[in-house]
Amino acid sequence: MPAALITVLSGATLVVGTVRKAQLHADLMRQFVELERQLEIGRSTPSKALITQITDERLAIEATEPQVLKVLDTLCHNKLLRATDSSGFLATPVCAVL
């Protein structure tokens, strides 16, 4: 009985967490699309002030993003290079390989 309860609660947590991440992704995408729209509007005459404003807004959006999993990025990068027989491998921390 306790195992079934734990399984049900774990499943519910997984679903709720996935929904939250999907909502965060949609919100971030919407913010970046709005930023792109501003870039397109000022495309004909991009002033230094506009570039500074858009850079500031981009950094503000990036500050609300979840943390980047750098070890995962490195592992994926190296696997891609292995798959394409390329060079340029990145050093992977020992703790990530274990």
Side-chain angles (χ1 to χ4, degrees):
M1 181 66 175
L5 180 62
I6 291 172
T7 303
V8 169
L9 290 176
S10 296
T13 302
L14 178 65
V15 169
V16 170
T18 303
V19 168
R20 279 192 203 140
K21 287 182 182 182
Q23 288 173 340
L24 176 61
H25 176 73
D27 290 342
L28 290 170
M29 185 185 70
R30 196 173 311 111
Q31 290 174 8
F32 276 114
V33 168
E34 175 61 26
L35 193 60
E36 183 180 7
R37 189 182 71 76
Q38 290 177 22
L39 276 171
E40 288 298 321
I41 290 171
R43 185 178 196 178
S44 60
T45 56
S47 65
K48 182 154 178 68
L50 177 65
I51 292 171
T52 302
Q53 174 194 350
I54 289 177
T55 301
D56 182 56
E57 289 179 30
R58 177 185 54 86
L59 291 172
I61 294 169
E62 287 178 357
T64 63
E65 290 181 329
Q67 183 178 353
V68 175
L69 303 175
K70 293 182 183 189
V71 171
L72 180 61
D73 282 348
T74 301
L75 291 172
C76 293
H77 173 81
N78 289 342
K79 286 187 179 193
L80 177 65
L81 290 176
R82 271 191 210 96
T84 59
D85 287 331
S86 301
S87 62
F89 289 92
L90 300 174
T92 307
V94 175
C95 63
V97 180
L98 300 178

